Amino acid sequence: SSGSKVLVHFVNQSGMKSSVFVTEGESLLDAVIKKNLDISGFGACEGTLACSTCHLIFEESVYDKLEQTVDEEIDMLDLAYGLTKTSRLGCQVTVNCWMDGMTVCVPQEIKDQRGKQEAQSSK
Ligand code: FES
């Protein structure tokens, strides 16, 4: 049934969770833009496979069911910060009803921790 709403939980780089209903058939990039989610720098190339800012980390059970990555996506993922074995580019993943309730995570910011380490070592 096209047009149905699928619940997706997004966790941004600060660990903040936003739960939104996404229309089936939209990409995860569409969802982030439409819902105006607070994920800084997400989707810089607007879904043209020319960046890796739409990098999202999936739950393993969901990842395993996603459609195959194309070579262009793999090339971009290779450049992505914080790559995991369940990483995909959000602009390439179309929301489907079976994904209802899934959680996708943006790679976590580690700048804060670096800052702390620097502060400690300078003592
Ligand atoms: Fe640039 Fe997905 S938005 S590759």
Side-chain angles (χ1 to χ4, degrees):
S1 53
S2 83
S4 37
K5 300 287 185 187
V6 181
L7 179 62
V8 181
H9 308 286
F10 285 88
V11 178
N12 78 3
Q13 52 268 76
S14 333
M16 203 181 83
K17 187 163 153 182
S18 314
S19 304
V20 296
F21 283 100
V22 183
T23 306
E24 200 181 1
E26 287 183 333
S27 74
L28 289 170
L29 172 63
D30 295 335
V32 169
I33 292 169
K34 272 198 173 177
K35 307 290 178 185
N36 202 14
L37 297 182
D38 184 19
I39 304 178
S40 65
F42 196 88
C45 79
E46 299 174 335
T48 56
L49 271 181
C51 75
S52 58
T53 61
C54 62
H55 176 198
L56 288 171
I57 300 167
F58 290 78
E59 297 155 291
E60 213 167 306
S61 57
V62 172
Y63 180 86
D64 289 343
K65 287 203 266 174
L66 296 176
E67 294 194 20
Q68 292 281 298
T69 34
V70 295
D71 288 350
E72 289 82 359
E73 183 180 349
I74 294 168
D75 290 347
M76 279 301 145
L77 274 171
D78 280 344
L79 305 173
Y81 160 77
L83 189 68
T84 74
K85 62 181 174 38
T86 61
S87 291
R88 291 292 302 262
L89 294 179
C91 67
Q92 300 302 305
V93 176
T94 302
V95 172
N96 229 291
C97 56
W98 64 260
M99 296 174 181
D100 195 48
M102 76 170 172
T103 299
V104 292
C105 300
V106 176
Q108 299 295 295
E109 275 283 0
I110 56 166
K111 271 186 204 142
D112 290 355
Q113 280 168 359
R114 277 189 194 152
K116 270 180 220 153
Q117 276 165 11
E118 273 163 31
Q120 274 165 8
S121 60
S122 65
K123 267 178 203 163

